[in-house]
């Protein structure tokens, strides 16, 4: 999920960017990584294209001898077991166990061995669905919902310091070069509240407030860098801001500046972008769509025509199915302590270091807490034991990342790896013989969100994590995936003949990953590899499920990366059946639409609920039923259920009870889960108040402390459902938001508004060339 407050507040305003980077993770503290670099690792000056050489050619068979290359070869044998030697000959990156599926080397080596069972699925029941929608508790929600209060801060001493800087700068103002920032910062201090900025970074619901803060922070850091200040000097300045403005406790301020300062300074020293470009890159819509040629790129598709799109088949009722467990965002906290202060002033509470609670109302619960606290070990243990006993017929598990807690100011590489090893061992013990397909979260890195591309081979290299992932995941995955896991933590595996799972590292779309400012062009060439895997799957008539952590339509996903991903989903809509993500901690979904016809949905991304209650949530997990092995299988999701634990009751009665919150087809009366049915559901939710209330309750996993949702909240949530592409809300959501606004207005204002909305709808339906008519009518042509 989005990192904690601390992560967002490193430098007060100045290092807001620093803070955004701090959004959630750990880092090693051994040595001064900023001053030690491998020879030849420094990238050349920026260029609009891809400006560094790499030893990875996903297109194969070109390249010079002695270079590792990727090659898609029909009917080829897989690579030899173990990691291919660096600098070896051309090898196939086929990830099937040998032998593989027909057309890729056979059919006997799939990962999943079917049990030929048909799972009992709940039948749609209109009465039960109606009863579900009538369950209320809204009054209690309103009374208990948190009210965020904006706090004002005394900026006197800060303004004095900035005045001195302004004199040093001579008052020059050049936004694009980042000069004269003291005046910008001075203005920013009066325009935004730092506590509001922190909240926006945590929720990823950004506004102009965060944009202004971002520009001020980036500009002032660049100002110091131009003035010749060192990384240590800047860290000290940022720490003083953080402490003096009481943005975080001194220990959190110290940890954040120590962990994140080096990387941010390292990156900002090497980019030629000004505050406007940097903040548009990091924040997205709220900072405007600033054109940036350094970060505009497109993936390349093979010269193969897109097959004719056929009407998708509805899975056969009663046919065999796979039962699939989806776990995400565990955020296991080994230092959680019952009875400690759960209402602390740090990003993560409920720990011994927060001290004992001053009253029973602020004490951390035994099984977790609705405040900013992660998951205690006993809750993780209880959930996994419950799943193992309640769902003994699980066929396979998808596990979409975020294992460490949110203590982003004091994590280390060693501790994150320890949590990875401990959790993997627990999963293997409780689910023996069940295939598990993991994906990498943004919190596994140290510091959080820090995923340097492969060309970064100095002390900042991410090899320490990817090598361990390869070693830990190897017990569930074939050895042939080692090469891609070690390169970029992504892989492709044949589950059954004709059925493939592709796991993506979505951290290369994470706009809080500062390393992408150096070069965002398809880091690790992951998307190009993804295209070749999909093209091979299309040739072999395989159906594909895609798993990852950050949803591609989420505001945390870089807009240029998301735009390219959207194109890939459109091109291979007949091959990609479903997508599965986590990260948000909520129970939700996103749709993908035909880029030529926004009325036709082409894909659905299921976003699974979090195990952690962080924050205001009940713990939860997801069960999917997937069309199984039979003659007419579609490999589509037939139904899904969300299971939750009522955290409040568990703490009161010291007895955690996990229960099925709802079945999606039963509750929403959906005839199937094809993309077009999800689109129909969005339109119903937008028009039907009680149905939206039901969705909102499920979104929060039936939390008793969920906040109320006003009109703007409703529009944002419904837009999120339509947005498989990030930072494009105007294009994807304008029409449905207009309808929501029209339904909430009354009287003569509604009459005028509805008339305007109708006019806009008619205009949008007219071919694009007619948009030029007003220019000539008003003499502007």
């Amino acid at each position: 999920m989005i990192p904690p407050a601390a992560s967002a507040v490193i430098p007060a305003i100045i290092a807001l960017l620093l803070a955004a980077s701090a959004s959630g993770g750990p880092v090693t503290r051994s040595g001064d990584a900023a001053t030690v670099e491998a020879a030849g690792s420094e990238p050349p000056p920026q260029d609009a294209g891809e400006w560094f050489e790499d030893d990875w050619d996903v297109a194969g068979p070109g390249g010079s001898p002695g270079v590792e290359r990727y090659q898609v070869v029909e009917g080829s044998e897989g690579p030899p077991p173990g990691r291919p030697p660096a600098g070896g000959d051309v090898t196939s990156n086929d990830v099937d166990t040998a032998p593989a599926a027909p057309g890729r080397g056979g059919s006997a080596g799939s990962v999943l061995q079917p049990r030929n069972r048909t799972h009992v699925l709940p039948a749609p029941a209109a009465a039960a669905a109606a009863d579900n929608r009538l369950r209320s508790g809204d009054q209690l929600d309103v009374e208990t919902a948190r009210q965020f209060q904006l706090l004002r801060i005394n900026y006197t001493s800060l303004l004095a310091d900035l005045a001195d800087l302004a004199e040093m700068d001579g008052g020059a103002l050049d936004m694009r070069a980042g000069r004269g920032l003291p005046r910008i910062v001075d203005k920013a201090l009066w325009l935004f509240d730092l506590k509001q900025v922190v909240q926006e970074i945590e929720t990823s619901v950004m506004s102009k407030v965060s944009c202004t803060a971002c520009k001020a922070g980036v500009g002032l850091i660049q100002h110091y860098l131009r003035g010749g200040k060192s990384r240590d000097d800047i860290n000290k300045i940022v720490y003083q801001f953080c402490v003096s403005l009481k943005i975080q406790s001194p220990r959190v301020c110290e940890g954040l500046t120590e962990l994140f300062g080096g990387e941010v300074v390292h990156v900002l020293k090497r980019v030629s972008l000004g505050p406007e470009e940097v903040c548009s890159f990091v924040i997205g819509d709220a900072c405007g769509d600033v054109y940036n040629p350094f970060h505009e790129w497109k993936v390349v598709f093979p010269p193969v025509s897109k097959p004719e799109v056929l009407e998708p088949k509805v899975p056969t009722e009663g046919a065999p199915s796979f039962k699939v467990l989806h776990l995400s965002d565990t955020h296991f906290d080994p230092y959680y302590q019952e009875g400690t202060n759960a209402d602390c002033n740090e990003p993560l509470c409920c720990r011994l270091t927060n001290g004992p609670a001053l009253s029973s109302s602020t004490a951390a619960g035994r099984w977790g807490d609705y405040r900013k606290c992660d998951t205690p070990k006993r809750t993780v243990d209880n959930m996994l034991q419950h799943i193992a006993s309640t769902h003994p017929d699980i066929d396979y598990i998808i596990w979409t990342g975020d294992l460490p807690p949110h203590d982003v100011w004091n994590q280390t590489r060693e501790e994150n790896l320890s949590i990875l090893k401990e959790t993997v061992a627990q999963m293997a013990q409780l689910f023996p013989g069940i295939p598990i397909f993991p994906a990498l979260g943004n919190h596994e890195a140290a510091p959080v969100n820090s995923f340097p591309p492969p060309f970064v081979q100095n002390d900042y290299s991410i090899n320490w994590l990817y090598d361990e992932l390869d070693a830990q995941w190897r017990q569930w995955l074939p050895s042939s995936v080692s090469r891609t896991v070690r390169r970029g933590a992504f892989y492709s595996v044949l589950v059954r003949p004709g059925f493939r799972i592709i796991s993506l590292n979505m951290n290369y779309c994470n706009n809080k990953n500062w390393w992408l400012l150096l070069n965002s062009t398809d880091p690790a060439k992951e998307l190009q590899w993804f295209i070749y895997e999909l093209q091979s799957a299309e040739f072999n008539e395989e159906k594909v499920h895609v798993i990852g952590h950050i949803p591609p339509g989420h505001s945390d996903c870089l807009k240029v990366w998301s735009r390219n991903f959207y194109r890939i989903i459109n091109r291979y809509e007949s091959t990609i059946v479903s997508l599965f993500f986590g990260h948000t901690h909520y129970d939700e979904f996103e749709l993908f639409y035909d880029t030529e016809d926004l009325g036709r949905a082409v894909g659905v991304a299921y976003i699974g609920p979090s195990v952690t209650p962080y924050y205001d949530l009940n713990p939860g997990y997801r069960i999917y039923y997937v069309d199984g092995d039979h003659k007419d299988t579609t490999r589509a999701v037939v139904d899904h259920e969300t299971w939750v634990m009522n955290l409040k009751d568990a703490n009161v009665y010291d007895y955690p009870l996990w229960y099925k919150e709802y079945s999606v087809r039963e509750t929403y009366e959906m005839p199937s889960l094809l993309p077009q049915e999800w689109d129909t559901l969005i339109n119903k939710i937008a028009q039907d108040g009680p149905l939206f209330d039901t969705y909102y309750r499920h979104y929060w996993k039936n939390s008793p402390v969920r906040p109320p949702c006003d009109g703007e909240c409703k529009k944002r949530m419904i837009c999120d459902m339509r947005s498989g592409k990030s930072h494009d809300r105007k294009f994807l959501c304008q029409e449905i938001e207009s309808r929501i606004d029209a339904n909430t207005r009354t009287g003569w204002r509604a009459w005028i508004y509805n008339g305007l909305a109708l006019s806009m709808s008619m205009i949008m339906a007219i071919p694009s060339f007619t948009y030029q008519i007003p220019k000539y009518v008003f003499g502007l042509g």
Side-chain angles (χ1 to χ4, degrees), residues 638-676:
V638 178
D639 198 2
H640 77 62
E641 306 165 349
T642 294
W643 290 66
V644 300
M645 180 187 82
N646 187 313
L647 185 56
K648 180 180 178 181
D649 288 351
N651 285 332
V652 169
Y653 303 110
D654 192 19
Y655 186 78
L657 180 64
W658 296 86
Y659 66 95
K660 185 174 75 173
E661 183 189 10
Y662 75 102
S663 158
V664 68
R665 284 185 61 190
E666 178 181 7
T667 299
Y668 298 114
E669 303 175 33
M670 300 176 71
S672 73
L673 299 188
L674 295 180
Q676 204 60 46

Side-chain angles (χ1 to χ4, degrees), residues 96-101 106-114 435 437 478 493-499 629:
D96 306 335
T97 50
S107 62
S110 54
V111 172
L112 175 65
Q113 300 304 320
F437 303 104
V493 169
L494 187 73
V495 179
R496 293 291 301 136
F499 180 31
D629 286 338

Side-chain angles (χ1 to χ4, degrees), residues 244-525:
S244 61
L245 293 180
K246 298 180 180 179
I247 297 176
Q248 287 294 332
S249 65
R251 73 187 188 110
V252 173
C253 290
E254 180 182 7
L256 288 174
T257 53
E258 182 181 347
L259 291 176
F260 300 97
E263 290 197 0
V264 174
V265 170
H266 181 88
V267 170
L268 287 182
K269 284 174 67 175
R270 288 159 175 76
V271 297
S272 58
L273 306 175
E276 283 188 330
E277 291 87 355
V278 170
C279 294
S280 176
F281 181 94
V282 172
I283 290 180
D285 286 346
C287 252
D289 190 11
V290 178
Y291 176 67
N292 187 343
F294 295 131
H295 297 285
E296 287 296 328
W297 49 273
K298 290 183 179 180
V299 291
V300 178
F301 292 95
V304 179
S305 298
K306 179 178 178 179
E308 179 185 358
V309 177
L310 304 177
E311 187 73 21
K313 293 191 300 182
V314 176
T316 306
E317 291 290 343
S321 59
F322 294 141
K323 188 174 185 178
V324 182
L325 169 65
H326 183 183
L327 293 175
S328 194
D329 298 270
T330 314
H331 290 291
F332 156 56
D333 185 0
Y335 302 109
Y336 184 99
Q337 183 66 47
E338 178 186 1
T340 54
N341 183 13
D343 196 19
C344 70
N345 63 345
E346 294 183 342
L348 186 64
C349 306
C350 300
R351 308 177 125 202
L352 280 175
T353 50
N354 301 124
L358 298 179
S359 66
S360 59
S361 63
T362 60
R366 177 170 176 77
W367 296 96
D369 202 280
Y370 287 118
R371 285 158 288 201
K372 290 185 180 179
C373 304
D374 273 321
T375 320
K377 186 176 190 303
R378 63 171 57 93
T379 303
V380 175
D381 293 345
N382 182 271
M383 179 194 69
L384 294 179
Q385 290 162 5
H386 149 79
I387 292 173
S389 60
T390 307
H391 307 287
D393 52 348
I394 289 173
D395 290 293
Y396 65 89
I397 299 170
I398 54 177
W399 191 16
T400 51
D402 266 13
L403 312 183
H406 287 86
D407 59 338
V408 299
W409 68 95
N410 69 350
Q411 291 176 322
T412 64
R413 293 180 178 181
E414 292 74 20
E415 188 165 87
N416 274 25
L417 291 180
S418 175
I419 289 175
L420 168 66
K421 295 173 185 177
E422 182 177 344
T423 314
V424 165
Q426 185 178 31
M427 293 288 288
Q429 179 184 4
L430 286 172
F431 303 103
I434 296 179
I436 299 179
F437 303 104
L440 180 63
N442 63 303
H443 276 259
E444 273 79 294
V448 68
N449 302 319
S450 177
F451 293 87
F455 70 82
V456 177
Q457 287 296 321
N458 49 35
D459 282 2
Y460 292 121
S461 169
I462 196 67
N463 291 346
W464 64 272
L465 176 59
Y466 292 173
D467 288 350
E468 189 60 43
L469 287 177
D470 179 47
Q472 294 298 317
W473 291 355
R474 186 74 65 84
Q475 61 188 296
W476 300 307
L477 305 176
S479 60
S480 52
V481 308
S482 175
R483 183 165 178 255
T484 55
V485 171
R486 286 177 178 264
R487 176 178 174 81
F490 50 84
Y491 62 86
S492 172
V493 169
L494 187 73
V495 179
R496 293 291 301 136
F499 180 31
R500 181 169 294 275
I501 286 180
I502 296 179
S503 177
L504 297 177
N505 181 357
M506 300 299 289
N507 293 296
Y508 290 131
C509 90
N510 186 353
N511 56 12
K512 293 182 176 67
N513 181 5
W514 281 82
W515 294 100
L516 300 185
L517 281 167
L518 292 176
N519 188 356
S520 66
T521 306
D522 193 9
K525 298 185 180 175

Side-chain angles (χ1 to χ4, degrees), residues 71-78 92 94 96 99-108 494 497-498 500 535-542:
Q71 185 180 28
V72 176
V73 182
E74 275 195 87
S76 68
E77 293 294 329
S92 167
D94 185 57
D96 306 335
R104 299 184 86 172
S107 62
L494 187 73
R500 181 169 294 275
Q535 187 60 63
S536 182
E538 180 179 280
F539 285 149
N540 295 317
E541 298 182 354
E542 295 172 353

